[in-house]
Amino acid sequence: MKEMTYRDAIREALYEEMERDDTVFILGEDVGVFSNIFGITEGFIEKFGRERVRDTPLSEMAILGCAVGAAMTGLRPVAEIMYVDFTGVCFDQIINQAAKMRFMSGGKIKVPIVIRTNGMGAGFQAAAQHSQCLEALFMHIPGLKVVIPSTPYDAKGLLKTAIRDDDPVMYLEHKLLYSIKGMIPDEEYTVPFGLADVKRRGSDVTVIATQAMLHKVLKVAEIFAKEGVEIEVIDPRTLFPLDKRTIIDSVRKNGKVLIVTEECKVGAASAEIAAFIAEKAFDYLKAPIERIGAPHIPVPFSPPLEEFYIPSERKIEEAIRKLIVAR
Amino acid sequence: MLADKGGGLLLPREDLLKIYKTMVRIRVFETKVAELFVKGKIPGLYHLSVGQEAIPAGACHALEEGDYLVSHHRGHGHMIGVGLKMPKMFAELFGKETGYNRGRGGSMHLADFDRNILGANGIVGAGIVIANGSGLSAKLRKTKQVTICFFGDGASQEGTFHEGLNLAAIWKLPVIFVCENNHYAFSFPSCVGCPVGIAPRAAGYGIPGFRVDGNDPLAVYSSVKEAVERARKGEGPTLIEAVTYRMKGHWEGDPDHIKQIYRPRDEIQEWSAKDPLRKFREKLITMKILSKEMDEEINKKVQTEVEEAVKWAEAATYPFPEEMDKDVFATTKVELE
């Protein structure tokens, strides 16, 4: 085992997969000479050359379109969209082209494309157009797999799976996680899609959380542990395919559930999760399903405004306390 | 100013007849589609290539097996031009399991991926950027395949036109961009929407650009052939603006086809007089390559081909809904609850 940052885990996954399979190539803005805004592709041009590490013009539609066409004709592109917010510029290629080609062809073709977006999320005062969490939009589209890793271990394993997967994968990273550290195996490993990870076991309350929120929940869980209350923390890791089994089993066991994501609550992925919990585990609930998300406003710039926007540990703690005393 | 690249072109007799037959097949096929649609026999939305047959007939003749083709919503002509079979095309329009897309796609998504025909597309302009993908793929895999990408004057107004041509130019991708300027983007005249025309924009990307008579299949053939050769040699993309005219409405059911809404009737009449199919027939008859008897024979054969294809498609079975769970992803089934 070795310790590694989330950023380096992503880098290592990309590196290993590009070594393993020479149909894998990278394209995006500033991914080559600049080595990506977080340095993820540092050293890649030296190792793999400019043909496989392609700097592109500022043309998200062309970047994605090229990746879709290349994926349809024998290659395995990893296209980068610098911030998830910029997917708005090339949404057609994601939702109408990449996602639907296989189905519209009658299942005769595969589109093995990975679309990586750097840092979702707020916390750097990057303001409204550089700070969103848009996973719900992609979860909603049939034909896209949606991956949201929270730890270095998951980041590496899931990216390898994403690259080897024959389907379109939205691989969504989070800004605040690049420098967090975690242990990863020395030997080769992958993390499958559709398998949630119980990051912490407990029998009092179930909390489902993603990315930056997951880490806040784990910290809050420590506070409760001191009080003798054990929180079970579930990280879905992939929103599609989603591991409903693990979630339902936990809710049936504990009867109380809180879902915490950084998304705007309205129409969030957390709403979908809450819905199927209500559908499948209603009789086991001892309290209404609780959700925490961001308010229905664009991410504000000024630090106190942004701080208000991002769900806090205090909010998470209060929500769990409410659940504990229910029934 | 139309560069007449058709004059003095020497193609063997069989090639000229093949091009002519392709045009006949497209015309008869599309006429049958219109008939089936108006009788309520085929579902969906149809954008027919009547009057625009010369472009696919000429362009596809310049391609080789293995080359990629990207088309758009008005794509039946390209599909026939590149050799898709009529029975499976009709089966797809009827929504049958034996259609090219197993009934999942319909007219706007017709494709034959086994032969590198990447398909029609329902989003105007989307194909332009996808074509760069097959172009890049051929380049990275070091094959000599080229990609031909058809789109309309409307698509040239989309952002994907700019992004796509620019990327193809700077990466020297083996793509031939063929703009079928039929004078209208639905109801929006191209003389208003892109008054400078499309070919001149090539200069902005530093690539060769030509405007040709899109109703002369030989002019289309020779300009596409040059572009194909350029692409195969690694010299990069070309833009060809083929000027033609849309003889029917934007889609089957377009009220403008019956009564003037956005196209002047005398304009339609003027272009009808320049029907590319009739003009090419007359040319071949003048050149003594075709006779009236031969032409009748060809038309009869094509008519039979179309009728039998429709019968085959009508008798075919519909797909089973429960099988759709395997069609979304290659490696995962979806829940069809």
Coordinates of all heavy atoms in Angstrom, one line a residue, chain A residues 1-4 152-153 181-185 189:
Chain A
M1 N 0.8 -1.2 0.0 CA 0.0 0.0 0.0 C 0.9 1.3 0.0 O 2.0 1.3 0.6 CB -0.9 0.0 1.3 CG -1.9 -1.1 1.4 SD -3.2 -1.1 0.2 CE -4.4 0.0 0.9
K2 N 0.4 2.3 -0.6 CA 1.1 3.6 -0.6 C 0.1 4.7 -0.5 O -1.1 4.6 -0.8 CB 1.9 3.7 -1.9 CG 1.0 3.6 -3.2 CD 1.8 3.6 -4.5 CE 0.9 3.3 -5.6 NZ 1.6 3.2 -6.9
E3 N 0.6 5.8 0.1 CA -0.3 6.9 0.3 C -0.2 7.8 -1.0 O 0.9 8.0 -1.6 CB 0.2 7.8 1.5 CG -0.9 8.7 1.9 CD -0.5 9.6 3.1 OE1 0.5 10.3 3.0 OE2 -1.2 9.6 4.1
M4 N -1.4 8.3 -1.4 CA -1.4 9.1 -2.6 C -2.5 10.1 -2.6 O -3.5 9.8 -1.9 CB -1.7 8.1 -3.8 CG -1.6 8.7 -5.2 SD -1.5 7.4 -6.4 CE 0.2 7.1 -6.5
P152 N -9.0 8.9 -3.0 CA -8.0 8.5 -4.0 C -8.2 7.0 -4.4 O -8.1 6.7 -5.6 CB -6.7 8.6 -3.2 CG -7.0 9.7 -2.2 CD -8.4 9.5 -1.8
Y153 N -8.5 6.1 -3.5 CA -8.7 4.7 -3.9 C -9.8 4.6 -4.9 O -9.6 3.9 -5.9 CB -9.0 3.9 -2.6 CG -9.3 2.4 -2.9 CD1 -8.3 1.5 -2.9 CD2 -10.6 2.0 -3.2 CE1 -8.5 0.2 -3.2 CE2 -10.8 0.7 -3.5 CZ -9.8 -0.2 -3.5 OH -10.0 -1.6 -3.8
K181 N -5.5 12.9 0.9 CA -4.6 11.7 0.7 C -5.4 10.4 1.2 O -6.3 10.5 2.0 CB -3.4 11.8 1.6 CG -2.5 13.0 1.2 CD -1.1 12.8 1.8 CE -0.2 13.9 1.2 NZ 0.2 14.9 2.3
G182 N -5.0 9.3 0.6 CA -5.5 8.0 1.0 C -4.6 6.9 0.6 O -3.7 7.1 -0.2
M183 N -4.9 5.8 1.1 CA -4.0 4.6 0.8 C -4.5 3.9 -0.4 O -5.8 3.7 -0.5 CB -4.0 3.6 2.0 CG -3.5 4.2 3.3 SD -1.8 5.0 3.1 CE -0.8 3.5 3.0
I184 N -3.6 3.5 -1.3 CA -4.0 2.7 -2.5 C -3.1 1.6 -2.6 O -1.9 1.7 -2.2 CB -4.2 3.5 -3.8 CG1 -2.8 4.0 -4.3 CG2 -5.1 4.7 -3.6 CD1 -2.9 4.6 -5.7
P185 N -3.6 0.4 -3.2 CA -2.7 -0.7 -3.3 C -1.6 -0.5 -4.3 O -1.7 0.3 -5.2 CB -3.6 -1.8 -3.9 CG -5.0 -1.3 -3.6 CD -4.9 0.2 -3.6
Y189 N -5.6 -2.7 -9.5 CA -6.9 -2.9 -9.1 C -7.9 -2.0 -9.8 O -7.5 -1.0 -10.4 CB -7.0 -2.7 -7.5 CG -7.1 -1.2 -7.2 CD1 -8.3 -0.6 -6.9 CD2 -5.9 -0.5 -7.1 CE1 -8.3 0.8 -6.6 CE2 -5.9 0.9 -6.8 CZ -7.1 1.5 -6.5 OH -7.1 2.9 -6.2

